[in-house]
Amino acid sequence: MASTTGNAFNFKLFKRLISYTKPYKTTYYFVAVSAILLSGLAIAMPYLIKVLIDDYIIPQELSGIYIVICVMIAALLLEVLLQFSFIFYANWLGQQVIRDLRLKLFSHMLSFKMKYFDKSAVGKLVTRAVSDIETIASIFSQGLFVIISDLLKMLVVLVFMGISSWQLTLVSLIVMPFILYATRVFQKAMKKAFEDVRNQVSNLNSFVQERVTGMKIVQIFNREKVEYDQFKEINDKHRNAWVKTVWYNSIFFPIAEMASSITIALIVFLGFKLMVSSETLEDASLQIGTIVMFIQLAQMLFRPLRQIADKFNTLQMGMVAANRVFGILDTDSTIENTGNVQANHLKGEIVFEDVKFSYVDDELVLKGISFKVNPGNTVAIVGATGAGKSTIINLLSRFYEIDAGDILIDGVNTKDYDLYSLRSEIAVVLQDVFLFADTILNNITLNDINITEDDVVNAAKEIGVHKFISSLPGGYHYNVKERGVMLSSGQRQLIAFLRAYVSNPSILVLDEATSSVDGYSEQLIQVATEKITKNRTSIVIAHRLATIKKADKIIVMDSGQIVEIGSHLELLQKEDGYYKNLYEVQFAQEEVA
């Protein structure tokens, strides 16, 4: 994505943004026509005032004054109606565009690889999807069409001024080159300033989001003052970025106002000089009306110019935001879903063939591992932290793409499966359970209309967690709040088990799902584990001894390689074996306890 930084305006980016108005062409053209009509009406009121002065007030033809006033009222009502239509439909169009753009952005983000989210700050992504897209709406509501309307208004006013009096028109344009140059400089300066503003807003959002989410850690380690000082520094940078925009505005607008006042003074001076030099009173009377009209027209000429600069600020900020949003839309970080095999009712045979993988280039996490899981078997994976255990399950569901080798399920390469059908057949229970700020029922079904409340209740009874859920206020409709803070870690795990069970997967993955739960919850989880793994291919990243003992096969990993494979008893019989040493150091203590 080409950056707009350093350019006053990026027409390529602007053209791309305007393409999102195509579904609403009727409204787009209506707003454009309204802008044209408004520019035509701009000269109506000054001209009518001129007519009123020249033709009726000075000659004291009072009978015609009422007719002119009625025409002025009609013109005013028409202008009000057009202004209403213009503002309403310009804003409506902007909201339609950002709705479509936000949906496209969110849909694109949903398809990103986990690797993208590993490297991207959540706060910055939230800023792109919410505030940046909201800023884009102002391009249509306050920027683009208002600028077009003002430019047309200036053109119409300038042409009419030239027809009415070329001398006064030239006087009106004396300071125009200066103000145009000042506007150009102002636009470039504001472009850079707004780029800095958006950066600081993104940094501020990211910092606040992370600290609020991790507030418990902040308070546990008594880091309040440190975090406050960091926030103060970031907040100061945010303030300074905005102050810079205020500084540019405080310089430009007084200059524009002064230029307008100078122009009016010149019009009055030249106008009355021409009037005094007139030979007849009739000529002088015509000049008075013209002078008054030119004063109004000059104000109309310079006021849009000042507004254009202001609206250009809005347009610039919207363009900066659009550049950032399109930057994400142009990010190619999706898992290619080119498979056409539907993974329906898999038998569950899993084969890894010389699989290599790295999160960071040239730093292999898996160094060519191979193993096979027979349908319906339970396989435990053990090893030290960082051995590559969790990486295996991430690759199985294609959250990441492997560097080399093949992963087969039922003899079919996972890349040949339709991605969504593949993931629908694999359920994962993670150690760190994530629950949404919603009811237990919705956290279990994830709003899948094919899973009814009765299905959930029956499943909960089958795996022994119905009693626990029923004891909560509201039962299955109990709101667990953000990240499930209203539940203990063990209770969250039980919800995760039930969520996996009701999805009726062909393959089940348990990623250290019992590593941080209390004794009572562990008993319930053990019962649930036996139930949901029965006759189902299961991969368990083991932490508790009971799970390992009952596994059909144990895969022992170290530093991204498989060092041993066998049953619990087989591995214990190996002299000085890796698993035997691991068992004696870690698991034997657990068994004694």
Side-chain angles (χ1 to χ4, degrees):
M1 183 68 203
S3 174
T4 59
T5 305
N7 300 320
F9 198 76
N10 189 318
F11 286 98
K12 184 177 180 181
L13 178 66
F14 180 72
K15 183 179 179 181
R16 181 177 180 183
L17 184 61
I18 290 299
S19 68
Y20 283 85
T21 65
K22 287 183 179 179
Y24 316 103
K25 286 191 293 186
T26 302
T27 303
Y28 179 84
Y29 290 128
F30 174 79
V31 173
V33 170
S34 297
I36 295 172
L37 293 176
L38 281 170
S39 64
L41 282 173
I43 62 172
M45 199 61 66
Y47 177 74
L48 288 172
I49 291 175
K50 172 190 177 301
V51 171
L52 194 65
I53 294 173
D54 290 345
D55 296 347
Y56 297 100
I57 293 178
I58 292 179
Q60 296 185 357
E61 296 288 341
L62 302 180
S63 59
I65 291 178
Y66 300 107
I67 297 175
V68 177
I69 290 176
C70 288
V71 174
M72 291 174 69
I73 292 173
L76 181 62
L77 290 175
L78 180 59
E79 186 175 8
V80 168
L81 180 62
L82 282 173
Q83 194 73 33
F84 166 78
S85 301
F86 175 78
I87 293 173
F88 177 81
Y89 286 105
N91 279 274
W92 182 90
L93 181 63
Q95 291 302 317
Q96 295 297 114
V97 168
I98 67 168
R99 180 200 63 180
D100 296 345
L101 193 56
R102 185 176 279 129
L103 287 173
K104 185 175 181 179
L105 177 67
F106 189 71
S107 175
H108 190 59
M109 288 168 62
L110 287 173
S111 66
F112 280 165
K113 303 175 184 177
M114 288 298 107
K115 186 176 183 179
Y116 179 86
F117 296 104
D118 293 341
K119 296 182 177 180
S120 302
V122 175
K124 290 185 178 181
L125 294 177
V126 172
T127 300
R128 302 294 176 268
V130 181
S131 62
D132 277 345
I133 288 188
E134 201 63 42
T135 303
I136 293 174
S138 63
I139 291 178
F140 299 93
S141 61
Q142 303 174 39
L144 171 65
F145 293 114
V146 175
I147 290 175
I148 292 175
S149 178
D150 286 344
L151 286 173
L152 288 172
K153 186 181 296 183
M154 291 174 63
L155 179 62
V156 171
V157 167
L158 195 58
V159 171
F160 185 72
M161 289 172 71
I163 294 173
S164 301
S165 173
W166 64 269
Q167 298 102 321
L168 295 181
T169 301
L170 288 177
V171 169
S172 301
L173 296 177
I174 287 177
V175 299
M176 187 64 73
F178 171 75
I179 196 66
L180 288 175
Y181 174 76
T183 301
R184 179 67 174 173
V185 173
F186 175 70
Q187 290 170 354
K188 287 185 176 182
M190 290 301 292
K191 171 65 182 64
K192 294 180 180 179
F194 280 134
E195 180 75 25
D196 190 26
V197 165
R198 296 315 302 170
N199 279 331
Q200 297 307 326
V201 168
S202 181
N203 292 337
L204 192 63
N205 285 346
S206 180
F207 184 89
V208 171
Q209 190 274 335
E210 288 181 350
R211 269 57 185 184
V212 171
T213 302
M215 187 59 69
K216 188 174 182 179
I217 298 298
V218 172
Q219 295 183 355
I220 286 175
F221 289 95
N222 194 29
R223 304 293 292 175
E224 291 92 340
K225 187 179 184 306
V226 174
E227 297 300 334
Y228 172 80
D229 290 340
Q230 290 185 19
F231 177 77
K232 184 179 179 181
E233 182 180 348
I234 294 174
N235 198 35
D236 286 345
K237 290 180 179 179
H238 176 262
R239 178 205 59 194
N240 293 338
W242 273 109
V243 167
K244 188 180 291 184
T245 67
V246 174
W247 167 255
Y248 291 139
N249 279 295
S250 64
I251 294 176
F252 175 77
F253 288 104
I255 291 176
E257 191 66 37
M258 182 176 65
S260 176
S261 300
I262 292 173
T263 300
I264 292 173
L266 291 173
I267 289 173
V268 172
F269 173 77
L270 180 61
F272 278 97
K273 185 176 181 180
L274 292 173
M275 186 182 68
V276 170
S277 64
S278 299
E279 297 179 358
T280 65
L281 182 62
E282 287 75 13
D283 290 336
S285 66
L286 290 174
Q287 286 296 322
I288 291 176
T290 302
I291 291 171
V292 173
M293 181 183 71
F294 261 80
I295 290 173
Q296 289 184 302
L297 291 175
Q299 291 175 328
M300 295 177 63
L301 188 65
F302 281 93
R303 188 184 305 118
L305 190 61
R306 294 196 302 270
Q307 291 177 348
I308 285 174
D310 190 29
K311 299 306 178 184
F312 200 88
N313 294 346
T314 301
L315 184 61
Q316 290 283 48
M317 183 169 278
M319 293 293 286
V320 171
N323 187 58
R324 292 175 177 275
V325 170
F326 286 137
I328 295 180
L329 286 173
D330 293 339
T331 299
D332 184 17
S333 185
T334 58
I335 298 288
E336 292 186 9
N337 186 19
T338 55
N340 52 21
V341 179
Q342 295 298 314
N344 296 325
H345 307 295
L346 298 173
K347 294 179 181 179
E349 180 188 74
I350 302 171
V351 177
F352 274 58
E353 295 181 348
D354 195 26
V355 173
K356 297 179 181 179
F357 172 76
S358 59
Y359 292 102
V360 180
D361 292 342
D362 300 324
E363 294 183 17
L364 287 177
V365 176
L366 298 183
K367 304 172 182 177
I369 66 169
S370 301
F371 65 88
K372 179 179 180 181
V373 181
N374 293 322
N377 280 7
T378 296
V379 173
I381 303 177
V382 300
T385 301
K389 306 185 298 296
S390 296
T391 300
I392 290 177
I393 63 173
N394 285 331
L395 299 181
L396 186 64
S397 298
R398 289 196 68 199
F399 292 128
Y400 297 85
E401 294 282 31
I402 60 178
D403 297 343
D406 294 293
I407 301 176
L408 310 176
I409 298 180
D410 289 359
V412 179
N413 196 302
T414 53
K415 293 182 179 179
D416 295 330
Y417 282 111
D418 174 75
L419 182 62
Y420 304 107
S421 69
L422 174 65
R423 289 180 178 173
S424 67
E425 290 295 311
I426 303 174
V428 181
V429 179
L430 299 172
Q431 177 183 359
D432 183 18
V433 178
F434 185 92
L435 298 181
F436 295 95
D438 206 334
T439 64
I440 287 179
L441 179 63
N442 288 340
N443 269 290
I444 292 170
T445 65
L446 296 177
N447 296 308
D448 186 342
I449 60 175
N450 297 315
I451 303 175
T452 66
E453 184 172 352
D454 289 338
D455 293 334
V456 174
V457 172
N458 291 332
K461 290 178 180 179
E462 289 177 15
I463 66 173
V465 299
H466 174 70
K467 183 178 179 181
F468 140 65
I469 297 176
S470 299
S471 66
L472 298 171
Y476 290 85
H477 297 278
Y478 178 64
N479 193 309
V480 300
K481 305 300 180 183
E482 187 175 1
R483 300 183 68 88
V485 295
M486 302 304 291
L487 302 177
S488 69
S489 60
Q491 291 171 331
R492 291 196 294 270
Q493 286 289 2
L494 290 171
I495 299 301
F497 268 81
L498 183 55
R499 179 162 60 191
Y501 186 56
V502 297
S503 67
N504 192 28
S506 300
I507 298 172
L508 177 69
V509 177
L510 305 180
D511 185 1
E512 300 196 69
T514 61
S515 62
S516 58
V517 300
D518 56 85
Y520 175 72
S521 297
E522 183 184 355
Q523 292 178 1
L524 293 176
I525 289 174
Q526 290 297 343
V527 173
T529 301
E530 291 179 11
K531 179 68 179 179
I532 66 178
T533 58
K534 186 177 181 181
N535 300 322
R536 179 181 282 120
T537 301
S538 303
I539 296 179
V540 181
I541 295 187
H543 184 83
R544 302 291 189 183
L545 177 59
T547 307
I548 298 174
K549 279 186 173 182
K550 295 178 181 179
D552 297 296
K553 183 188 296 183
I554 298 173
I555 298 175
V556 186
M557 297 191 65
D558 182 41
S559 301
Q561 295 178 311
I562 296 177
V563 293
E564 293 175 348
I565 294 181
S567 67
H568 175 66
L569 293 178
E570 289 173 346
L571 294 176
L572 285 181
Q573 292 174 0
K574 289 188 176 183
E575 289 296 330
D576 200 29
Y578 189 99
Y579 176 78
K580 183 178 181 181
N581 292 332
L582 185 67
Y583 171 78
E584 291 175 350
V585 172
Q586 181 180 357
F587 299 128
Q589 296 177 358
E590 185 178 323
E591 188 175 44
V592 172

